[in-house]
Amino acid sequence: MQHMSKGVSRMFRRSFVPFLLAAVAMPAFAQEAAPQSDMDTIIVTGRAAGSEMRKAEASFAITTIDQQSLKVAPPISTADLFRRVPGFWVEGSGGEGSNNVRSRGIPTDGYSSVGLHENGIPVQYDGALGYLNPDQSFRIDDTIARVEAVRGGPASIFAPNAPGGVVNFITRKGTDTPDGAGSVRYTFTDTTAHRVDAWYGREIAPNVGLFVGGFYRQGDGMRDMGFTAEKGGQIRATLNYDDGVNSATLDVRHMDDRTPFYLPVPLTFDADGGIKQVSGFDALNDTLAGSNNKLVSIKNVGGPYEFDLTEGSHTKLTVITFEAKMRIMDGVRFETRNRYRTSDILRNALFPTGNVDTIANYQASLLSQAKAGGFSTATGIRLTYADDGTAVPSNANGNGLLVQGNLLSVSVPLDEMISDNRITADIANHALAVGVSYAHSQYRFDRYMGTTLLDVRGNARRVDATAVNASGVAVGRVTDNGFLRYGSLFDNVGMNTDSVAVYGGDEWQITPQIRVDAAARYEKLSFNGLVAGKTTVNLGDPTTLADNSVTTFSGAFTNVDESFSGFGWTLGANWQFQPNMGVFARYTDTFRLPSPGEWNGNPTRTDMAKVPIKMGEVGFKYGSEMLSLFVTGFWTKFERLTLTDWYFDNASNSYKSRIAIAGSETFGVEAEAMFRPFEWGDLAVALTWQDPQYKNFKYTDSAGKVWDFSGNQLMRVPKLGLRVTPGVNLFDDRLRAEAVIEHYTKRYPDIANTQVLPAYTLVGLNLRGQVTENIALGFNVSNLFNKLGLTEGNPRAGSFISGDLGAQYFLARPDFGRVIRASATVTF
């Protein structure tokens, strides 16, 4: 299959690209013009007032991504789109879901501090529930009309759990195309993936629109999994009414989609200390997960758990949204946004953990375990493959290495209801808003895991370790079917949550050039539920150590009943001294309330509290046909943050945790610019420079050593992120071609800053050509030169102090290798 995909890639290079260039030389046909200055774009994100506001007038930093940009460079995932926004550091190497986003030096992972919204309503109220990132519940397709991204500023006042910002995906509606319009797009990827996106919308009665759209796809995945790893899609249906004064929309979205979750891969160093691939393992295209561990029985109390790796991250979700805006009287409107979701989300993955080490070193360690486990006459360890019993050679796969891997299954069913209601009023020079939101959710968290021993290759095989005496006779088994430990992790949680927030704001236009805005939010979070107690049992097989300590339900539950509240406010001002030029300043004193997910594995914890957050920013914006420029200086300070270091202990084959309370402070500059020196050419730049540091962070490790992490660079966040996109529009704007150059400076995978993830640069290409009035061709290449860019280290080796420090081999997660996509779109 891999050879086939490479052949198809060559076919595209030889035939598709010349065809694309030839096609655009045909007679001119109308198509959307290349984007000009977006200063006049009307924005809806980051504010509660009902009056219109141009992007040029905003007193906060906001990035807008229009439909044409989405067509030229369709993002592979939600995280991939976030990379276009300055201020965000994005780790998109996990695939289409479960990625990490950090904004302006905010030291939390996942989407815990960045809101992911759809039409102004959270996709998921709390993005930090644990193994349930909002991007697992959302997919970008051609039903998206545009995107607005707000960093910092008022985001945390008008949206929950969003001190870092809000990214709002705004969908198409039937009234957008009164006479009817739609498209069908087919995309082929050289990873042997096929995808169809389609939509159609029209007005079915005066001011009444109907819209349907979605996608379906199937493919082998961004890395070679050895089986069909991507399969599924989503469909959306929307009925809306809009007469220019009153509006109402009913939207239903259903998703049934599964994608792989990609995890770290083994790496090593060359003679000069540079990072390189391990022999026999392609770090850009291979993954330890694969067909050998596709269907595996994990022994458990009462019967085996059937682990299915082909499920990957499987989301089954239905979302029903109703929103309306109604005029009460001149200048006064009522707005309501309501969303109900029911979902069943499963994440099955192979998590590499422990040390990547030589077979000889592993044999010595396993021998010690065998003797300590009761096989006292053992003098050696014999290694065989679990699937066929053949011997593991000392130089297996050309590297002679082994690694541990956790087969982890997590199920998080979630039912959630969100209602956000506000009244807006335009009185004299004031745009006022007051609102209340309520969210209720019920979720379960079920987790089970077994720890295996693996060789190091693409699609790794499980390895069995048998203890033998001096005569070579087996005296016991350290493993069983390749498992070092069954039941190395177990959780069972049921939780109910309730959140109530009251907010209000005023935008005061003091003069035609000067506007001051202020807003505040009070929120209270309550949650209660049951967390299963845990104990370890011996399943009773005396011939193996693998079933001696199976973690399971103790028979008792611990009740969790917690509540937290917070008050935040923001004050901003905008001086628009020219229609196309202005400056703004803002100060925000806000908060992040704890997530109920923090109690999943520790129901009696008392260290969690409201996290106070202070933010300041000063910005300049300018727009003309030749140049659009937005520059923002920012400051972010976390005063009390509970940090938990979950790390995998090799000796016990179990997770352990360390907790510390610290702060952070970041100064930085964001800039985004679009320079159009010629009608046929432009240059886009998105830049973030920041100095993100931990503050007041002293930590005592298990050996009693005191570490002072104050002043260290925030984990996994680069100081400089730069994205440069030069583009040209040829053949009367019928061909758009652009290069995408991304550069990131070095980062550290641990808070101690003991291990370096080197700086790297990625290059991509995007082409879109209008062949006829109704047919367009697209061609996209990411990571053109197959650069090895490491986005994260190995969190399971310890995020406080990396357990990989000083090792010859280590685990890290690179960006994907070169991926080629070709598409054809028919509009009607």
Side-chain angles (χ1 to χ4, degrees):
M1 184 66 71
Q2 187 176 15
H3 296 300
M4 181 185 296
S5 65
K6 289 180 179 178
V8 173
S9 299
R10 289 193 294 269
M11 178 189 73
F12 278 127
R13 289 194 295 269
R14 292 174 181 172
S15 61
F16 186 88
V17 175
F19 172 67
L20 178 64
L21 294 174
V24 297
M26 296 172 65
F29 295 97
Q31 78 160 8
E32 297 181 46
Q36 299 299 314
S37 173
D38 60 354
M39 296 291 281
D40 292 327
T41 300
I42 302 300
I43 59 173
V44 298
T45 308
R47 56 195 298 262
S51 58
E52 289 190 347
M53 178 185 289
R54 298 187 305 130
K55 183 177 179 180
E57 300 166 343
S59 56
F60 48 87
I62 182 168
T63 296
T64 55
I65 302 173
D66 62 16
Q67 180 58 217
Q68 182 65 6
S69 297
L70 294 174
K71 287 180 178 179
V72 173
I76 294 175
S77 65
T78 305
D80 184 41
L81 183 135
F82 276 42
R83 294 164 81 141
R84 307 181 193 185
V85 182
F88 286 156
W89 162 245
V90 181
E91 295 174 348
S93 52
E96 287 202 46
S98 308
N99 288 298
N100 293 314
V101 178
R102 296 190 177 201
S103 172
R104 293 185 170 181
I106 290 178
T108 57
D109 286 331
Y111 289 75
S112 57
S113 294
V114 175
L116 181 60
H117 285 203
E118 184 183 63
N119 295 321
I121 318 174
V123 169
Q124 182 177 306
Y125 195 84
D126 183 355
L129 285 180
Y131 289 87
L132 188 55
N133 288 4
D135 62 347
Q136 291 176 255
S137 305
F138 184 79
R139 296 285 186 269
I140 298 178
D141 59 20
D142 287 354
T143 67
I144 304 299
R146 69 183 195 277
V147 182
E148 296 181 353
V150 173
R151 285 97 65 198
S156 63
I157 305 301
F158 300 120
N161 305 310
V166 168
V167 179
N168 188 19
F169 293 83
I170 300 166
T171 62
R172 302 176 190 261
K173 294 179 174 62
T175 52
D176 296 338
T177 53
D179 296 328
S183 73
V184 176
R185 174 167 62 99
Y186 167 72
T187 303
F188 177 81
T189 306
D190 71 339
T191 56
T192 319
H194 305 266
R195 172 168 169 151
V196 175
D197 288 74
W199 67 271
Y200 180 76
R202 70 169 299 132
E203 222 172 49
I204 58 175
N207 304 321
V208 179
L210 179 65
F211 176 88
V212 292
F215 78 91
Y216 183 82
R217 56 80 185 283
Q218 182 171 311
D220 293 345
M222 301 286 284
R223 293 179 177 273
D224 182 13
M225 300 286 288
F227 53 80
T228 299
E230 301 173 340
K231 190 173 183 179
Q234 73 178 1
I235 185 169
R236 179 193 303 276
T238 305
L239 181 67
N240 81 296
Y241 171 85
D242 190 348
D243 63 11
V245 177
N246 301 304
S247 64
T249 302
L250 177 64
D251 180 88
V252 179
R253 178 169 64 93
H254 178 71
M255 184 169 89
D256 188 344
D257 188 37
R258 58 180 173 87
T259 63
F261 181 47
Y262 301 103
L263 288 139
V265 301
L267 297 160
T268 188
F269 300 95
D270 59 25
D272 298 323
I275 294 174
K276 70 172 186 176
Q277 300 181 147
V278 169
S279 298
F281 192 97
D282 185 340
L284 291 171
N285 298 297
D286 283 345
T287 175
L288 291 168
S291 53
N292 188 258
N293 293 293
K294 184 168 63 173
L295 298 171
V296 184
S297 291
I298 306 177
K299 290 183 179 179
N300 195 7
V301 176
Y305 178 82
E306 301 301 330
F307 178 83
D308 185 354
L309 186 60
T310 67
E311 284 288 294
S313 289
H314 192 170
T315 299
K316 296 179 180 178
L317 170 145
T318 300
V319 177
I320 302 173
T321 304
F322 174 75
E323 53 179 315
K325 298 178 182 180
M326 294 170 283
R327 175 183 174 276
I328 299 175
M329 62 179 67
D330 285 346
V332 180
R333 294 202 305 176
F334 171 70
E335 299 181 11
T336 182
R337 295 176 176 87
N338 305 274
R339 172 163 290 158
Y340 170 75
R341 69 171 273 178
T342 180
S343 59
D344 192 350
I345 297 178
L346 175 69
R347 189 198 294 188
N348 285 357
L350 188 157
F351 288 73
T353 191
N355 298 323
V356 181
D357 211 340
T358 63
I359 286 176
N361 286 343
Y362 257 102
Q363 285 176 313
S365 175
L366 293 166
L367 179 60
S368 297
Q369 293 181 41
K371 290 182 176 181
F375 304 136
S376 57
T377 60
T379 60
I381 294 292
R382 182 169 64 226
L383 299 177
T384 56
Y385 286 110
D387 54 358
D388 62 10
T390 58
V392 178
S394 59
N395 66 336
N397 308 309
N399 53 57
L401 299 174
L402 298 178
V403 68
Q404 291 169 233
N406 291 324
L407 298 184
L408 175 62
S409 180
V410 182
S411 174
V412 192
L414 170 67
D415 290 339
E416 181 173 70
M417 187 273 289
I418 304 171
S419 182
D420 187 358
N421 304 276
R422 68 185 65 162
I423 293 177
T424 67
D426 295 324
I427 301 175
N429 295 325
H430 295 267
L432 302 164
V434 61
V436 59
S437 69
Y438 171 72
H440 172 76
S441 71
Q442 295 179 325
Y443 76 87
R444 288 177 56 87
F445 181 80
D446 298 297
R447 179 165 61 174
Y448 189 68
M449 183 177 83
T451 301
T452 63
L453 184 63
L454 305 169
D455 67 349
V456 173
R457 68 163 82 190
N459 309 145
R461 298 169 69 185
R462 295 191 311 285
V463 172
D464 267 324
T466 303
V468 298
N469 62 19
S471 301
V473 177
V475 296
R477 296 178 296 135
V478 179
T479 64
D480 180 49
N481 194 28
F483 281 87
L484 289 160
R485 181 183 176 187
Y486 294 115
S488 48
L489 191 62
F490 163 84
D491 283 291
N492 175 244
V493 178
M495 202 78 73
N496 298 312
T497 76
D498 291 279
S499 297
V500 178
V502 179
Y503 59 87
D506 178 18
E507 297 175 359
W508 179 19
Q509 195 73 45
I510 301 175
T511 73
Q513 291 79 33
I514 298 175
R515 188 185 68 259
V516 174
D517 65 89
R521 178 187 186 90
Y522 172 81
E523 183 169 3
K524 182 176 181 180
L525 164 68
S526 303
F527 55 92
N528 62 81
L530 297 174
V531 178
K534 296 177 243 185
T535 188
T536 56
V537 299
N538 190 325
L539 295 184
D541 186 346
T543 69
T544 181
L545 305 181
D547 73 340
N548 286 8
S549 300
V550 176
T551 307
T552 188
F553 179 41
S554 68
F557 288 94
T558 299
N559 182 61
V560 174
D561 191 354
E562 301 281 351
S563 64
F564 301 89
S565 62
F567 176 79
W569 58 274
T570 186
L571 178 64
N574 182 72
W575 179 25
Q576 202 70 26
F577 50 84
Q578 294 289 338
N580 65 338
M581 188 184 308
V583 294
F584 69 87
R586 178 173 297 276
Y587 179 80
T588 303
D589 188 332
T590 188
F591 60 91
R592 174 64 163 93
L593 298 180
S595 170
E598 298 289 349
W599 276 258
N600 285 346
N602 189 357
T604 60
R605 68 186 308 166
T606 58
D607 54 304
M608 300 299 294
K610 177 190 72 174
V611 179
I613 306 168
K614 292 179 170 59
M615 298 183 290
E617 56 189 307
V618 178
F620 169 80
K621 55 261 177 92
Y622 168 81
S624 68
E625 287 193 4
M626 179 175 289
L627 176 65
S628 297
L629 176 65
F630 299 83
V631 180
T632 306
F634 63 88
W635 164 74
T636 304
K637 184 177 183 180
F638 274 61
E639 296 183 332
R640 184 196 185 279
L641 183 67
T642 300
L643 298 168
T644 303
D645 180 25
W646 286 95
Y647 65 98
F648 195 78
D649 179 63
N650 297 329
S652 61
N653 290 314
S654 64
Y655 276 104
K656 295 186 177 181
S657 64
R658 301 177 281 215
I659 295 175
I661 296 175
S664 70
E665 188 170 29
T666 300
F667 292 90
V669 177
E670 301 166 352
E672 60 177 326
M674 172 62 82
F675 180 49
R676 306 176 185 86
F678 313 106
E679 185 177 346
W680 51 267
D682 51 62
L683 177 68
V685 177
L687 175 147
T688 305
W689 178 88
Q690 57 188 330
D691 186 15
Q693 297 183 9
Y694 290 102
K695 299 293 183 181
N696 305 316
F697 197 158
K698 288 190 177 180
Y699 166 73
T700 303
D701 65 20
S702 57
K705 180 180 178 179
V706 178
W707 295 75
D708 188 351
F709 298 140
S710 301
N712 284 10
Q713 185 173 324
L714 286 190
M715 179 180 68
R716 304 210 306 258
V717 178
K719 288 190 173 182
L720 175 66
L722 176 64
R723 181 184 176 100
V724 179
T725 308
V728 294
N729 303 296
L730 304 174
F731 305 108
D732 295 327
D733 289 341
R734 283 177 286 112
L735 174 65
R736 169 73 179 176
E738 58 185 35
V740 180
I741 304 164
E742 296 176 289
H743 177 76
Y744 304 100
T745 55
K746 69 178 182 181
R747 286 138 295 111
Y748 300 95
D750 62 344
I751 291 170
N753 290 182
T754 58
Q755 187 181 9
V756 176
L757 301 177
Y760 66 92
T761 301
L762 302 179
V763 177
L765 295 175
N766 299 312
L767 290 90
R768 179 179 171 85
Q770 198 72 32
V771 180
T772 72
E773 185 176 2
N774 302 107
I775 298 175
L777 301 179
F779 190 73
N780 307 92
V781 184
S782 59
N783 198 0
L784 177 64
F785 300 112
N786 262 338
K787 291 295 183 180
L788 186 64
L790 304 183
T791 63
E792 70 168 21
N794 178 24
R796 285 149 291 280
S799 57
F800 283 10
I801 306 166
S802 175
D804 286 335
L805 176 64
Q808 181 181 358
Y809 304 97
F810 66 100
L811 291 163
R813 191 169 70 180
D815 243 316
F816 300 110
R818 180 171 52 244
V819 176
I820 301 174
R821 292 178 293 158
S823 65
T825 303
V826 178
T827 58
F828 46 86

